[in-house]
Amino acid sequence: MIGKVLAAAAVVSAPAWLPRRVVALRMKIFALVNGQDAVTVPGPQVGAGDFKRVYADPAANGRSRGAALSDLFWYWLAPGPQVHQEHLEAGPRYDEVAKCTRHILVRSKKDSEELARRVAAHVLDDVEPGFVRLRDLMMPIWAELYHELVFEEPCPPEARDLVVGHADDVVSALKCVRPRNMRRRARLTRYLRRRLADVPHPLPPSLTPEEQVFYLQGTFFNTAVVQMSEAMAHLLMIIARDEGLQRRLAEHPEDIDGVIDDGLRAYPLFGIAHRITTADIELDHLTIPAGTVLCFSYPDFAAQSAKDEFIPFGVTQNRACPARGLAPPTMRVVAQEVLRRFSLASTAAHTRSIPNRGPALLTPRGVRPGRVPLGWLAVRDRWEDVWRSLAQLVFGTYMVLDARRQALCSTYFAGGNR
C-alpha cells in the first residue's frame, strides 16, 4: 500500500522534479561529447571578464576541424554543413561567402522595416485568436522575409511551406525534441536547386552549384529563419507574461526597443559557440594552447557580466552575426504588427532553449483571457515538460551516437578538404 502511495506521489509530482533531473543527465551526455580538454568560457579556468578578450583573439578562429563537438553540429545542420557560413574555416572561401551574405542582407532601415511590415501583415491577417505556439506563429514571417531577400520577389506558398518545414525540423533536432528528418530537408534542397539560376545576387564563385544551394539553405533558410523565430518567440513570451508591460507598450510602442535588448540579453540565442584555437592565447594567468576547443557559453556570460556587456550578435573580431543590422528594426516592426492585432497571455514556462515553442493565448487586442484558460495552459505546459524531457533524453542520446557514427566533420577533413 505504501509503495503504491509513493509511486502515485512520484507520478503526480513529476512536473516538479523529473524535467530537471533529465536535463542534468542530458548535459552530462553532451559534456562527454565535448571531451575533457575543452575549456568552457566563462568557467573555472577563464572567467567572464576574459570572455570578450578570448572570443576576439585572432587565434580563436578555428571553426570545425579538430573538435569532437563539430560532428554533432554538422549532423544537426546537414545537408551541406561544410559550406555553412558559421562552419567554414578562415580563408578566401569564407571571405567570398561572407561578402555574398552581406550583399544579400544589406538594406536601408526604411526598406527593411517596410519589408517586415508587409510580410508580417500577410501572415498575421490569416491568424485567428486562440492557442498558439509563438515560434510556430513567427516562422512563416521570417520564411517569407528571407525568401524575398534572397530571390527579390514575394515568397510563393509552396516555398514558404518548404522553408518552414525545413527550419522547424532543424530547430526541433537541435532541441532534441525529435530526431532529424532528412527527407523533409531534402525537399527544400530540391526547390533551391531548381531555382538557383533565379537568384539575382552573385553567389560565391568558389562554390560549386550544389554547394551554392547548400550555402543558401544553411545560411538563410536554416540559421536566419530559426534564429529570428526564436528571438521573436522570446520577445513575445516576455510581453505575454507581463500584463503591465503590455499595457505600457500599447501607450508607448517606442519602448519595444528596450524590451528587445532585455530579451536578447536574458535569453541569448546561442547556448554554446565552440571555436578551436589555431595558436596559443596568452592571458595574465593562463596560456591556452593551440588546438584547444573553446566553448563560449552565452547564457553564463550574460548571467555573470554587467547589463551593458551583453553581445547578442557576437563580437566584430570573430564573425559577428551578419544580420545584426537587420534584426532589431525588423523585430520591432513584427512585434508592433502582432500587438496591433492581438493581446498576448501565457503562464507557460519560459526558458532560454524554449523547447515548448512558446505556448500563449492570443485574444483580440485589449481582451484578457480568463483564469480558467490560463490555468489550463499552465497545467498543460508542466505535464508536456515531463514527456518532452524524456523525449529529449532519448532522441538526444540517439543523435549523439548517430552523429559519432557518421562523423561528418571528421570524415570531411580526413579526406583532405579545407
Side-chain angles (χ1 to χ4, degrees):
M1 181 65 179
I2 294 178
K4 291 182 179 179
V5 171
L6 292 175
V11 170
V12 171
S13 63
W17 61 269
L18 184 58
R20 292 198 303 272
R21 300 285 181 87
V22 173
V23 168
L25 182 56
R26 286 178 55 232
M27 291 303 99
K28 288 183 179 180
I29 293 172
F30 289 125
L32 292 175
V33 178
N34 288 342
Q36 295 181 349
D37 296 330
V39 173
T40 300
V41 187
Q45 297 172 273
V46 183
D50 285 318
F51 186 96
K52 289 185 179 180
R53 156 74 181 86
V54 176
Y55 208 151
D57 194 287
N61 68 339
R63 309 307 289 190
S64 295
R65 189 173 193 171
L69 199 60
S70 299
D71 280 330
L72 184 56
F73 276 101
W74 281 38
Y75 178 90
W76 277 329
L77 297 176
Q82 69 274 16
V83 291
H84 192 292
Q85 183 167 330
E86 256 303 291
H87 292 273
L88 279 170
E89 302 297 325
R93 190 155 76 149
Y94 166 75
D95 295 337
E96 281 187 2
V97 166
K99 180 180 179 181
C100 178
T101 301
R102 290 192 298 269
H103 174 76
I104 292 174
L105 293 180
V106 169
R107 292 288 190 279
S108 70
K109 180 182 176 182
K110 179 181 178 181
D111 288 346
S112 298
E113 291 177 339
E114 175 54 35
L115 173 60
R117 185 171 291 107
R118 177 161 45 80
V119 297
H122 181 246
V123 173
L124 294 172
D125 283 348
D126 292 332
V127 173
E128 297 291 336
F131 174 79
V132 298
R133 306 277 182 172
L134 292 171
R135 194 179 77 202
D136 298 347
L137 178 70
M138 291 292 101
M139 200 167 274
I141 295 174
W142 301 106
E144 289 199 9
L145 187 145
Y146 279 97
H147 185 282
E148 187 153 341
L149 286 175
V150 170
F151 289 99
E152 293 192 349
E153 65 179 33
C155 181
E158 173 209 5
R160 189 178 90 174
D161 291 345
L162 291 173
V163 173
V164 168
H166 170 264
D168 177 67
D169 188 72
V170 170
V171 72
S172 296
L174 283 166
K175 310 294 183 188
C176 300
V177 295
R178 66 170 181 254
R180 65 177 192 168
N181 185 331
M182 295 306 294
R183 285 181 294 180
R184 177 179 293 179
R185 301 184 190 192
R187 297 184 191 115
L188 178 61
T189 306
R190 290 193 292 270
Y191 171 82
L192 293 173
R193 194 179 290 130
R194 293 197 309 269
R195 301 262 350 247
L196 189 63
D198 299 330
V199 177
H201 310 281
L203 296 175
S206 64
L207 303 184
T208 66
E210 188 72 356
E211 288 174 330
Q212 291 174 350
V213 167
F214 290 143
Y215 154 68
L216 293 173
Q217 184 165 353
T219 301
F220 298 101
F221 303 122
N222 171 353
T223 297
V225 173
V226 166
Q227 296 287 50
M228 293 304 297
S229 301
E230 292 259 297
M232 284 300 305
H234 284 302
L235 173 62
L236 295 177
M237 277 293 283
I238 291 171
I239 296 170
R241 289 167 59 89
D242 190 335
E243 188 176 359
L245 171 62
Q246 199 161 167
R247 286 197 301 268
R248 176 161 63 86
L249 291 176
E251 298 173 3
H252 304 283
E254 68 278 5
D255 289 353
I256 192 69
D257 289 338
V259 184
I260 290 172
D261 286 345
D262 290 344
L264 290 173
R265 174 177 170 77
Y267 303 100
L269 297 178
F270 292 102
I272 295 290
H274 76 282
R275 304 287 185 266
I276 302 94
T277 57
T278 54
D280 291 354
I281 296 178
E282 299 288 346
L283 301 178
D284 292 340
H285 65 290
L286 174 71
T287 296
I288 303 175
T292 300
V293 178
L294 300 171
C295 292
F296 293 97
S297 173
Y298 276 77
D300 288 338
F301 174 67
Q304 298 176 31
S305 60
K307 186 174 181 180
D308 59 353
E309 283 289 306
F310 85 116
I311 47 174
F313 303 107
V315 296
T316 303
Q317 301 93 326
N318 197 333
R319 301 192 192 182
C321 174
R324 61 191 181 278
L326 180 71
T330 53
M331 287 180 66
R332 180 195 314 120
V333 168
V334 172
Q336 290 171 343
E337 287 296 310
V338 172
L339 295 176
R340 188 166 65 83
R341 292 166 171 79
F342 304 108
S343 288
L344 310 172
S346 182
T347 49
H350 186 191
T351 61
R352 191 210 66 81
S353 63
I354 204 166
N356 60 8
R357 312 196 314 276
L361 292 172
L362 296 186
T363 54
R365 181 175 177 176
V367 176
R368 180 78 176 174
R371 292 183 179 181
V372 172
L374 288 175
W376 166 82
L377 180 59
V379 172
R380 172 175 172 166
D381 182 65
R382 302 306 185 268
W383 280 103
E384 279 186 350
D385 203 25
V386 172
W387 69 257
R388 186 168 47 240
S389 299
L390 295 171
Q392 288 178 297
L393 178 61
V394 172
F395 295 140
T397 302
Y398 165 76
M399 287 188 284
V400 165
L401 296 174
D402 199 33
R404 176 173 293 185
R405 178 185 65 82
Q406 295 194 27
L408 297 175
C409 180
S410 305
T411 302
Y412 178 80
F413 286 109
N417 296 292
R418 293 181 61 82

